């Protein structure tokens, strides 16, 4: 789920990123909230808008998922030399760009600047 994110998303925006209808998204967010992974909060700009943000438990789980994903991706390319890794990175980057894959994880240096004021 894209709620493995560095910042909160409004429900509409989250639905667009995930490609889900409002009814499907509501169920997904409800189940995640019941598990204590996300919470809903009204935005400061518009009290009618709801944003979804990670709870501390959700952030912990997202960090574990991120670390494990990085470990597994690194292991996939372990048999390649530097040239092979560069070629793979280039090809994967092109696939992501050409297919407009949404960012699920921000690069570490962007995480701090993406955190909203609370």
């Amino acid at each position: 789920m894209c709620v493995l994110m560095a910042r909160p998303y409004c429900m509409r925006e989250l639905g667009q990123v995930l490609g889900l209808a409002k009814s499907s998204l509501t169920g997904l967010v409800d189940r995640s909230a019941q598990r204590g992974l996300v919470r809903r909060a009204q935005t400061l700009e518009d009290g009618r808008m709801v944003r979804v943000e990670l709870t501390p438990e959700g952030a912990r789980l997202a960090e574990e998922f991120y670390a494990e994903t990085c470990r597994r991706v690194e292991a996939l390319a372990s048999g390649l030399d530097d040239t092979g890794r560069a070629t793979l990175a280039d090809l994967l980057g092109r696939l992501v760009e050409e297919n407009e894959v949404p960012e699920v994880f921000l690069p570490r240096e962007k995480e701090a600047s993406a955190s909203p004021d609370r």
Side-chain angles (χ1 to χ4, degrees):
M1 180 175 168
C2 187
V3 195
L4 305 176
M5 58 201 172
R7 66 173 182 84
Y9 281 92
C10 292
M11 290 288 284
R12 177 184 42 74
E13 186 180 26
L14 186 57
Q16 289 172 341
V17 169
L18 295 175
L20 293 174
K22 184 178 178 183
S23 59
S24 298
L25 178 64
T26 299
L28 181 61
V29 171
D30 285 346
R31 289 186 302 278
S32 297
Q34 289 169 354
R35 291 182 177 117
L37 303 175
V38 300
R39 66 176 155 252
R40 289 180 173 93
Q42 290 183 326
T43 64
L44 297 176
E45 304 82 32
D46 183 347
R48 298 168 297 171
M49 285 181 86
V50 175
R51 68 177 185 209
V52 179
E53 57 189 29
L54 290 173
T55 62
E57 176 62 14
R60 183 194 63 74
L61 188 63
E63 182 61 34
E64 283 180 17
F65 178 80
Y66 178 78
E68 180 64 13
T69 300
C70 289
R71 187 192 66 73
R72 288 182 181 204
V73 167
E74 187 67 27
L76 287 173
S78 64
L80 299 175
D81 61 12
D82 289 344
T83 302
R85 285 176 188 246
T87 301
L88 179 61
D90 179 58
L91 291 171
L92 291 174
R94 287 173 38 198
L95 282 174
V96 166
E97 287 178 14
E98 290 172 9
N99 289 285
E100 299 179 9
V101 175
E103 280 190 63
V104 175
F105 296 111
L106 293 175
R108 296 255 183 223
E109 61 272 6
K110 290 184 182 179
E111 286 180 6
S113 64
S115 297
D117 296 332
R118 299 197 188 200

